[in-house]
Amino acid sequence: QVQLVESGGGLVQAGGSLRLSCSASGRSFYYLGMAWFRQGLGKEREFVAGIARRHEVIQYTDFVKGRVTIPRDDDKNTLDLQMNSLKPENTTVYYCAADDQGNIGYVPLSASPYNYWGQGAKVTVAS
């Protein structure tokens, strides 16, 4: 069993930065592939960035253009989502996901392989 809890959501002005944190418990962080997704109203859950299950392989979607990093802390069992140069279109709910069964050396870009999800963190970017 794995439990995921996101924190750090809130309101930020356009051009600013925000850092979300995903805390994992119930299973060794080492065995988890993890990722951040976002999902707007009426849209599919969309991949943002992730780290592979057993290796230091990190994947970012092309549209983040270097504005996003996912710092990992093995001591605290957390994966953060650092977002810079935020725009109003970044306003949505961000979800943390984990996979303890699948790939070991790559990061799935679709939501279906991930079998654990957090409750979501709302981010609002003011124009």
Side-chain angles (χ1 to χ4, degrees):
Q1 293 293 315
V2 175
Q3 296 83 44
L4 303 176
V5 179
E6 302 101 333
S7 62
L11 176 66
V12 63
Q13 291 186 323
S17 299
L18 196 67
R19 184 163 176 150
L20 306 181
S21 183
C22 176
S23 178
S25 62
R27 184 73 185 273
S28 175
F29 187 74
Y30 173 83
Y31 294 102
L32 297 177
M34 298 183 67
W36 284 96
F37 287 76
R38 68 183 187 183
Q39 186 170 23
L41 182 63
K43 299 183 181 296
E44 295 182 342
R45 195 160 292 187
E46 182 181 29
F47 178 83
V48 177
I51 184 168
R53 184 180 173 188
R54 291 175 56 184
H55 306 284
E56 292 292 340
V57 178
I58 300 174
Q59 181 72 51
Y60 298 93
T61 189
D62 288 339
F63 66 78
V64 301
K65 302 295 185 182
R67 297 184 293 110
V68 168
T69 59
I70 47 171
R72 171 180 169 178
D73 191 329
D74 290 337
D75 293 330
K76 297 181 179 179
N77 289 350
T78 58
L79 184 74
D80 291 355
L81 178 64
Q82 176 68 49
M83 298 182 288
N84 304 317
S85 301
L86 286 165
K87 302 176 180 179
E89 53 260 43
N90 300 132
T91 296
T92 189
V93 179
Y94 290 80
Y95 294 89
C96 179
D99 168 27
D100 66 354
Q101 300 181 31
N103 70 94
I104 61 173
Y106 68 96
V107 180
L109 303 182
S110 62
S112 56
Y114 298 92
N115 54 337
Y116 299 99
W117 293 88
Q119 80 284 357
K122 179 66 180 296
V123 173
T124 302
V125 183
S127 61

